[in-house]
Amino acid sequence: MTTIDTTPAAAYRVSHLDAIEAESIFVMREVVAELERPVLLFSGGKDSIVMLRLAQKAFAPARIPFPVLHVDTGHNFDEVLDYRDQRVAELGLQLVVASVPEALEAGLVRESADGTRNRIQTPVLLAAVEKYRFDALFGGARRDEEKARAKERMFSFRDDFGQWDPKNQRPELWSLYNGRHHPGESIRVFPLSNWTELDVWHYIAQERLSLPSIYYAHERTVIERDGMLYAVNEFIAPRGSEEPFKARVRYRTVGDASCTAAVLSEADTVDLVIEEVAATRITERGATRGDDRVSETAMEDRKREGYF
């Protein structure tokens, strides 16, 4: 005769969000236990906002035990910078800014011919890692974003030049992570690797997290370029026959304003964004990031050089 186990343990269920939250918190605690000088990359984007929430939970009731680092290209959306400063102040965090404009002035990097600064962030990031001797960098990258990110480990080893070798990655069996490194080497850590964009939005809804307003539908003057909608601003001006027009848009990802595009949208609440994301078949980077269209391996090439 079949019997039914009615003990409380049998009735215990863990939701998908609870499971991935627990995994991410485990990873954060593992890094703080294993490595000496971790830092969290915080741009004011939705993924890094979720990362901060996870860090709060991982170390509560204590404060988050590491600073946050923003690689500032100087090509920012004002709403995102305002949010960054407000959130850092609320949590009493140390904010380290690695400034691309200052690096340009000092001659560390040179402006790209196309005027975008995403690629020249890398030397600026690596200089900050060396200056502050960070040995672990938390990043909000997810495997569903882009194919180079899909094959990167949760603990991603970088050599003493900050470079990633995709053919020489460490195995991660049974959630066993290897943070061993020599002085000068570092580990990039991606606690959201197993999350999707939809997971992130469900978590934002569950935790009632505030976001920069540009994540929600609003009217903005844009131009269409290479099949994407770029906001007209001090970094993006119409070329040739491009005609500015007003459209109701939102941003799925935020980054360098000179290469980050918006999408047409009527989603002005978290619930409507979740409906929209659930229905789309194009990744957020594929839909909105001009820098990923440079070549088939654009992201992997940047990562090999030391990018996030």
Side-chain angles (χ1 to χ4, degrees):
M1 183 177 73
T2 302
T3 58
I4 299 175
D5 186 351
T6 58
T7 60
Y12 181 68
R13 294 288 186 275
V14 177
S15 72
H16 172 65
L17 275 188
D18 288 342
I20 56 177
E21 178 194 63
E23 179 185 61
S24 300
I25 287 175
F26 169 76
V27 168
M28 287 188 165
R29 289 172 175 166
E30 189 78 0
V31 168
V32 170
E34 281 191 43
L35 292 115
E36 294 183 1
R37 298 180 67 85
V39 67
L40 190 150
L41 296 167
F42 183 65
S43 63
K46 66 182 186 310
D47 302 306
S48 55
I49 291 169
V50 166
M51 294 272 286
L52 271 188
R53 179 60 175 158
L54 292 166
Q56 277 186 285
K57 288 192 169 186
F59 304 104
R63 295 170 62 177
I64 296 172
F66 38 75
V68 295
L69 169 64
H70 182 209
V71 182
D72 180 357
T73 65
H75 288 175
N76 301 292
F77 294 98
D78 292 338
E79 299 92 332
V80 179
L81 274 193
D82 290 344
Y83 179 94
R84 180 201 69 180
D85 293 340
Q86 179 185 337
R87 193 68 182 128
V88 165
E90 287 172 352
L91 296 176
L93 297 171
Q94 178 193 355
L95 171 65
V96 177
V97 176
S99 170
V100 173
E102 288 180 9
L104 284 165
E105 192 173 338
L108 175 64
V109 292
R110 292 193 299 178
E111 291 276 16
S112 303
D114 61 3
T116 66
R117 293 180 173 174
N118 220 15
R119 188 149 194 159
I120 60 175
Q121 290 181 82
T122 300
V124 182
L125 169 66
L126 297 180
V129 171
E130 182 177 1
K131 177 180 179 181
Y132 295 96
R133 295 185 292 110
F134 294 131
D135 59 0
L137 286 76
F138 289 110
R142 309 184 318 270
R143 291 192 175 110
D144 76 325
E145 289 181 76
E146 198 275 338
K147 57 189 178 183
R149 289 184 167 177
K151 61 185 177 184
E152 192 158 21
R153 300 289 192 268
M154 200 170 286
F155 273 40
S156 186
F157 173 78
R158 303 300 171 102
D159 66 19
D160 51 1
F161 295 102
Q163 295 174 328
W164 175 58
D165 180 358
K167 294 182 178 177
N168 186 27
Q169 300 192 74
R170 297 174 173 179
E172 293 182 345
L173 303 176
W174 307 292
S175 298
L176 295 176
Y177 304 109
N178 182 357
R180 292 189 64 180
H181 64 284
H182 297 295
E185 299 171 342
S186 61
I187 303 290
R188 304 290 171 83
V189 185
F190 304 110
L192 303 185
S193 289
N194 293 330
W195 295 50
T196 66
E197 182 184 11
L198 196 55
D199 292 332
V200 167
W201 277 102
H202 278 299
Y203 196 72
I204 289 166
Q206 173 180 288
E207 300 294 311
R208 300 185 179 184
L209 301 177
S210 64
L211 296 183
S213 58
I214 65 173
Y215 276 111
Y216 301 105
H218 58 284
E219 189 173 83
R220 193 172 280 247
T221 301
V222 298
I223 56 169
E224 183 170 353
R225 178 178 297 168
D226 300 327
M228 295 194 285
L229 299 177
Y230 290 95
V232 176
N233 52 42
E234 59 184 302
F235 316 116
I236 293 278
R239 301 173 187 162
S241 60
E242 294 174 343
E243 287 289 336
F245 60 97
K246 291 203 177 278
R248 193 161 171 77
V249 299
R250 73 174 193 86
Y251 285 84
R252 289 178 67 182
T253 179
V254 298
D256 189 308
S258 60
C259 60
T260 304
V263 294
L264 293 173
S265 176
E266 293 296 330
D268 56 5
T269 67
V270 174
D271 289 341
L272 290 175
V273 171
I274 288 173
E275 287 182 21
E276 186 178 275
V277 172
T280 189
R281 292 294 176 265
I282 304 176
T283 66
E284 63 190 72
R285 294 197 69 94
T288 66
R289 297 301 292 263
D291 49 328
D292 287 349
R293 295 188 174 189
V294 174
S295 72
E296 281 290 311
T297 60
M299 173 65 81
E300 184 164 321
D301 292 342
R302 293 202 300 274
K303 279 182 160 296
R304 286 174 181 269
E305 296 165 358
Y307 188 71
F308 312 128

